[in-house]
């Protein structure tokens, strides 16, 4: 089970004033600091690191749930 306080403490202690372009990495590390180890998804072609959008299956496998889904009109 995720220790939310530990995850948030990790995020707060590693926060930067500016985006570093690694949100998926930092969220994964915060979740790990909270006691849940999720698996990084395979890399997309031409990507150097996993995209945040690709972590869904790993999060669901660890008991996380979808709280909101929104699909823009005309996009699948």
């Amino acid at each position: 089970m995720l220790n939310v306080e530990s995850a948030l403490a990790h995020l707060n202690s590693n926060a930067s004033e500016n985006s570093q372009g690694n949100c998926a990495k930092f969220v994964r590390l915060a979740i790990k600091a909270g006691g849940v180890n999720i698996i990084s998804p395979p890399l997309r072609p031409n990507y150097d690191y996993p995209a945040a959008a690709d972590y869904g299956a790993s999060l669901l496998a660890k008991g996380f749930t979808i709280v909101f889904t929104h699909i823009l009109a005309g996009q699948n």
Side-chain angles (χ1 to χ4, degrees):
M1 178 175 292
L2 180 68
N3 181 318
V4 175
E5 290 79 17
S6 293
L8 289 174
H10 186 272
L11 284 173
N12 287 327
S13 67
N14 291 285
S16 177
E17 289 187 24
N18 300 310
S19 174
Q20 297 177 20
N22 291 309
C23 63
K25 173 186 170 184
F26 291 118
V27 170
R28 179 182 55 79
L29 292 173
I31 291 171
K32 184 175 182 178
V36 178
N37 192 24
I38 57 174
I39 297 170
S40 295
L43 293 179
R44 293 181 184 195
N46 302 316
Y47 273 58
D48 294 328
Y49 46 85
D54 296 332
Y55 275 91
S58 293
L59 293 168
L60 291 172
K62 292 295 183 169
F64 288 81
T65 58
I66 298 170
V67 295
F68 180 76
T69 301
H70 181 82
I71 297 175
L72 298 175
Q75 293 185 358
N76 294 329

